[in-house]
Amino acid sequence: MKNAVLTFAAWMARLLPLPVKRALYRFKPLAGAIRGTLNRAAPQGQAQVSVAAGELAGARLYLDLHSEKDYWLGTYEPELQQAVLELIRPGMVVYDVGANIGYVSLLLARRVGSGGSVFAFEALPANLERLRANLALNEFAGIVSVVPCAVIDAPRPIQFLVGPSGGMGKAQGSAGRQEFGYAQSIQVEGISLDHFVYSAGNPPPQAVKMDIEGGEVLALPGMRRLLLEQRPLILLELHGPQAGQVVWATLKGAHYRICRMQSGYPAVASLDELDWKAYWVGMPGTPQDR
């Protein structure tokens, strides 16, 4: 019976369109009942599962189905998944900054194909262990290179604050996410993307996905040369008003258009239009976009 419940849930995830799934999540009594049924059917702890739906459907991942259903059902960051499908092209070099357990790294690897490459930057040891394990499960993961560092403004050791889940954290000096308690910190290696390319000799990115819990206030200033010379596409999750100010000043200073991550990617005209805790697209522009 338990396997039947999970099999049915996976089938429904493939069948139902995204607007319907979102409507189910918004109806809290029904969403709670579904979540409770799945939790009772799911195994305890991590299990190897096949992603049921979304752009990563069919990939294998080690997941905790009690807390990571969105990865399994393919409902994780649907706007980002659509942007990867529309904006990332085969053969690209892409940096995944804040790779976590590798869901987006694998999504990018599938998209760029054998002619491209993905560099997955992740600092937390627990995430790194599962990132490498998830990569090992999938053939196309050979495209992904793991970089066990925090992306900041300059290469140096830095304290990294560990969040309550153990799988979430941010570099000291990051902005936003003050609602979480960070009782523990560890020292990790930090690197800037300018250093990674221009000093360490790695291939420059044509696109950068960044989701680092407010660490964008450190990472973006550490890639100014890349923004001016290489002009990568930026897919970025914003974490709070301070981060918004840094994102706006840095990208506009490099003549980027800042666009909503939605159909058509409309540009925003002012800093006041930036909603925090949302994904945005930085598109290389001209001096008129400053």
Side-chain angles (χ1 to χ4, degrees):
M1 179 60 183
K2 288 185 177 181
N3 287 338
V5 169
L6 298 179
T7 299
F8 179 74
W11 180 75
M12 291 298 290
R14 288 189 292 271
L15 178 68
L16 295 176
L18 181 61
V20 174
K21 288 187 276 193
R22 283 181 161 167
L24 292 176
Y25 293 146
R26 285 194 293 268
F27 186 56
K28 292 184 178 180
L30 179 57
I34 294 172
R35 189 177 301 110
T37 300
L38 292 178
N39 283 345
R40 287 188 292 274
Q44 293 295 322
Q46 293 177 21
Q48 186 184 139
V49 301
S50 179
V51 177
E55 298 304 322
L56 198 58
R60 303 290 296 175
L61 296 174
Y62 289 107
L63 296 177
D64 183 339
L65 294 184
H66 288 259
S67 59
E68 296 173 329
K69 297 178 186 65
D70 53 349
Y71 289 142
W72 170 47
L73 297 174
T75 56
Y76 175 77
E77 303 288 9
E79 291 84 4
L80 176 61
Q81 292 196 49
Q82 187 64 28
V84 168
L85 181 66
E86 294 176 352
L87 301 176
I88 303 302
R89 300 186 302 278
M92 273 187 164
V93 176
V94 185
Y95 290 2
D96 183 3
V97 178
N100 200 269
I101 66 168
Y103 186 96
V104 177
S105 298
L106 287 166
L107 182 66
L108 292 167
R110 176 177 279 183
R111 186 66 183 138
V112 303
S114 59
S117 58
V118 175
F119 290 85
F121 296 81
E122 177 57 46
L124 276 175
N127 285 347
L128 281 166
E129 181 179 358
R130 194 143 57 115
L131 168 62
R132 291 186 172 111
N134 285 333
L135 293 177
L137 290 176
N138 296 278
E139 290 181 358
F140 54 92
I143 298 163
V144 183
S145 300
V146 176
V147 185
C149 294
V151 175
I152 54 174
D153 52 350
R156 66 179 188 277
I158 191 167
Q159 290 299 117
F160 202 86
L161 308 178
V162 182
S165 70
M168 182 179 68
K170 62 181 182 179
Q172 193 170 58
S174 299
R177 288 292 183 135
Q178 302 303 322
E179 70 273 21
F180 293 107
Y182 296 91
Q184 180 188 3
S185 70
I186 58 175
Q187 183 170 286
V188 302
E189 287 300 314
I191 194 168
S192 74
L193 295 186
D194 279 350
H195 178 88
F196 187 73
V197 171
Y198 294 108
S199 296
N202 292 291
Q206 292 153 300
V208 177
K209 167 261 170 183
M210 187 176 293
D211 180 3
I212 47 177
E213 308 299 330
E216 55 268 30
V217 302
L218 300 172
L220 282 174
M223 61 178 297
R224 283 197 174 100
R225 185 177 171 186
L226 276 174
L227 292 172
L228 290 169
E229 295 182 6
Q230 303 297 331
R231 315 295 286 157
L233 176 77
I234 306 295
L235 308 176
L236 181 144
E237 186 173 22
L238 194 59
H239 297 84
Q242 182 185 343
Q245 292 171 359
V246 173
V247 168
W248 186 267
T250 305
L251 293 184
K252 283 296 182 180
H255 315 307
Y256 272 68
R257 287 179 293 121
I258 301 177
C259 305
R260 299 183 187 279
M261 192 175 283
Q262 62 188 54
S263 179
Y265 305 101
V268 297
S270 71
L271 173 61
D272 293 337
E273 294 182 47
L274 286 184
D275 302 322
W276 86 273
K277 196 62 180 84
Y279 264 101
W280 298 88
V281 181
M283 294 191 175
T286 65
Q288 286 70 39
D289 292 305
R290 183 164 181 166

